[in-house]
Amino acid sequence: TNETTYQNTCFTFEELRNQTGLPEGQSVAVIGYGSIITPETASFVHHIVLTASIETDSCESGTSMVAGWAPGWPDLLLPDDVGIPFFGEGNFNTIGIQIHYNNPLEIPNQFDSSGIRFFYVLEPRKHEAAYLQVGDPLTNLRGAEIGKGLSEWSFECPSTCSTLALGGQSITVLSEALHMHSSGSSSKQ
């Protein structure tokens, strides 16, 4: 038993097709997702990150974050005209799931079946959604002296940052969330 463990699993194109029962050539639009957290081991699940790739047999290259969950984050349902395209040429075809377990007391024999449930429709949506991640590890405070007592750190993404990341395109933010690891105790938006 380790204090911190990252469990990584990859679902390939064929595995996803077999699980969903979709016919060959059928694409889908993911319209939302919800967390499935095992009550007995919920206190050990620090976060869940889902990535997707346009590859059909690997989660190793060309991945993008498509969903995430941490304690306190709500499930997500996209607006009626928004979806994340999956399956087919140029769409996501594999899903990688990483679950970060935090077991500071190193309690042995903990078995978990937490995950994320996707909701999808067969018709494409007018607008495509994507996940934009800013902040640490992009800001990266690792190794910085925190100090004793109350410390406050503030981060921002000025217009030059967002222009660089988005190429000058406008976006509509549908949801946002903050997340931190062991050095923090609270955060606010």
Side-chain angles (χ1 to χ4, degrees):
T1 302
N2 296 324
E3 178 179 339
T4 295
T5 302
Y6 290 87
Q7 179 65 45
N8 296 293
T9 305
C10 179
F11 295 96
T12 66
F13 179 74
E14 286 305 316
E15 290 169 327
L16 291 169
R17 285 256 186 234
N18 291 337
Q19 285 185 20
T20 60
L22 291 171
E24 189 68 33
Q26 176 70 58
S27 61
V28 301
V30 171
I31 60 168
Y33 60 86
S35 60
I36 306 168
I37 307 301
T38 305
E40 298 80 15
T41 53
S43 64
F44 301 111
V45 182
H46 181 74
H47 69 246
I48 301 174
V49 174
L50 277 87
T51 57
S53 172
I54 59 173
E55 301 294 324
T56 58
D57 59 357
S58 169
C59 291
E60 299 299 319
S61 63
T63 61
S64 296
M65 188 169 175
V66 293
W69 175 88
W73 288 13
D75 293 346
L76 178 69
L77 180 61
L78 296 171
D80 290 344
D81 60 346
V82 178
I84 304 170
F86 268 84
F87 305 136
E89 189 67 34
N91 293 341
F92 293 127
N93 289 298
T94 60
I95 295 176
I97 181 170
Q98 178 192 80
I99 302 180
H100 173 197
Y101 296 102
N102 190 32
N103 186 351
L105 300 177
E106 298 186 12
I107 299 169
N109 301 317
Q110 299 301 306
F111 300 98
D112 182 63
S113 58
S114 296
I116 299 284
R117 176 180 291 122
F118 280 109
F119 302 98
Y120 62 89
V121 294
L122 300 180
E123 296 298 320
R125 295 291 177 100
K126 179 179 180 182
H127 302 287
E128 292 183 7
Y131 210 100
L132 175 64
Q133 181 181 0
V134 294
D136 202 354
L138 304 176
T139 304
N140 204 342
L141 273 180
R142 293 170 200 216
E145 184 65 37
I146 301 290
K148 295 185 187 312
L150 180 63
S151 297
E152 183 175 315
W153 298 84
S154 296
F155 301 96
E156 61 182 54
C157 184
S159 61
T160 53
C161 170
S162 59
T163 299
L164 180 63
L166 301 171
Q169 297 179 30
S170 64
I171 63 168
T172 300
V173 176
L174 302 172
S175 177
E176 39 76 28
L178 297 174
H179 180 67
M180 68 176 81
H181 283 245
S182 60
S183 297
S185 62
S186 69
S187 59
K188 62 183 177 181
Q189 296 160 319

